[in-house]
Amino acid sequence: MDLTSRQDKIINIVKDNEPITSLDIADKLEMSRAAIRSDLTVLTMLDILAAKPKVGYYYNEDREELKDIEKLFNLPVCEVMSMPLNIKENISIYDAVVSMFLEDVGTIYVIDENEKLSGVISRKDLLKISIGQTELKKTPVSLAMTRMPNIITIKQDDTYFEAAKRISLNKIDSLPVITDEYKVVGRISKTNITNYIVEFDWEN
Ligand code: ADP
């Protein structure tokens, strides 16, 4: 929410003079107390200012930390995602396992002949089919993958928080990042989400 310039002025007055009464704030702005009442209500409701009865208004320091968290949560997925590992539907289970190790990813995305997302294959999908199948070099990944339209995806300009929410609610490890044409351009995983918290440029 954008603040008005008067609300910004009030915040600065409170920062420099806390605790300060509404009357003193109004005096500094050369306005009446009634004129700034609604601004004070808004700023208190937003937790930017805190009011103590008979003492006055304080600036809520915790607010700065919240700003960082807000910034992190609203980051676009494209800033956090990593490169996807995309394979064709006819690739064998055996080769998918090898690729998973070589590329060090936990989930592989499967694309069709038009390069559109058609499936997702996880570590457990590969383990499961490996138990019952001996012909792993001849069995295509398409037999073991979770298919469209059951795939939970995300777009590059969706937020970090939305990605975290979809991963958590659907109990999965990662989301393919797709374009409007269902091309897979990235991957966002539990690891990306966790690492970004550690690497984030915290100001507070
Ligand atoms: P693992 O199976 O290795 O624990 P996941 O928890 O990511 O890894 O996968 C669990 C199941 O959900 C698997 O069958 C997998 O194919 C499927 N899955 C993984 N990612 C997605 C996704 N983005 N959308 C839908 N299903 C998925």
Side-chain angles (χ1 to χ4, degrees):
M1 177 179 166
D2 287 337
L3 300 178
T4 64
S5 66
R6 189 161 77 202
Q7 288 165 348
D8 280 331
K9 273 189 206 151
I10 294 176
I11 293 171
N12 287 328
I13 291 172
V14 176
K15 270 188 187 169
D16 294 341
N17 301 281
E18 61 183 2
I20 179 169
T21 63
S22 55
L23 195 59
D24 288 341
I25 300 172
D27 273 353
K28 286 188 187 295
L29 287 168
E30 295 175 356
M31 296 174 80
S32 73
R33 191 155 64 157
I36 62 164
R37 188 169 295 140
S38 63
D39 292 318
L40 288 171
T41 308
V42 168
L43 294 172
T44 331
M45 271 168 45
L46 289 173
D47 269 345
I48 297 174
L49 300 185
K52 269 198 190 154
K54 298 202 180 116
V55 181
Y57 287 88
Y58 288 87
Y59 178 67
N60 198 349
E61 296 287 345
D62 296 346
R63 175 77 196 164
E64 291 296 323
E65 282 161 33
L66 284 180
K67 262 194 215 159
D68 267 354
I69 292 174
E70 228 172 88
K71 204 162 106 190
L72 170 68
F73 280 6
N74 286 320
L75 276 176
V77 161
C78 58
E79 281 195 34
V80 185
M81 70 189 196
S82 38
M83 289 293 291
L85 172 57
N86 299 337
I87 60 171
K88 294 267 165 65
E89 291 176 354
N90 60 358
I91 298 285
S92 71
I93 297 290
Y94 182 92
D95 284 338
V97 173
V98 171
S99 304
M100 199 173 254
F101 277 105
L102 289 180
E103 304 284 335
D104 194 21
V105 294
T107 319
I108 302 179
Y109 304 130
V110 184
I111 51 176
D112 66 16
E113 63 280 7
N114 299 314
E115 312 224 314
K116 293 185 182 199
L117 175 66
S118 64
V120 163
I121 190 145
S122 74
R123 281 177 275 225
K124 263 185 248 147
D125 294 330
L126 290 172
L127 283 174
K128 200 160 88 188
I129 193 146
S130 304
I131 292 173
Q133 272 282 347
T134 46
E135 302 263 33
L136 296 180
K137 288 190 176 170
K138 289 190 190 139
T139 314
V141 283
S142 52
L143 288 188
M145 69 192 194
T146 299
R147 289 176 174 277
M148 284 299 268
N150 299 323
I151 303 178
I152 317 293
T153 61
I154 194 136
K155 300 262 168 70
Q156 293 193 71
D157 49 4
D158 282 329
T159 64
Y160 172 96
F161 185 72
E162 183 56 38
K165 210 161 79 180
R166 284 186 202 176
I167 287 177
S168 172
L169 290 178
N170 295 288
K171 300 186 175 67
I172 46 180
D173 287 352
S174 81
L175 302 171
V177 183
I178 59 160
T179 63
D180 290 340
E181 294 78 34
Y182 285 89
K183 298 259 160 74
V184 187
V185 290
R187 174 172 61 89
I188 185 159
S189 64
K190 283 180 183 170
T191 312
N192 294 123
I193 301 271
T194 321
N195 287 350
Y196 217 84
I197 295 176
V198 178
E199 288 162 16
F200 186 70
D201 183 20
W202 297 103
E203 282 172 22
N204 293 287

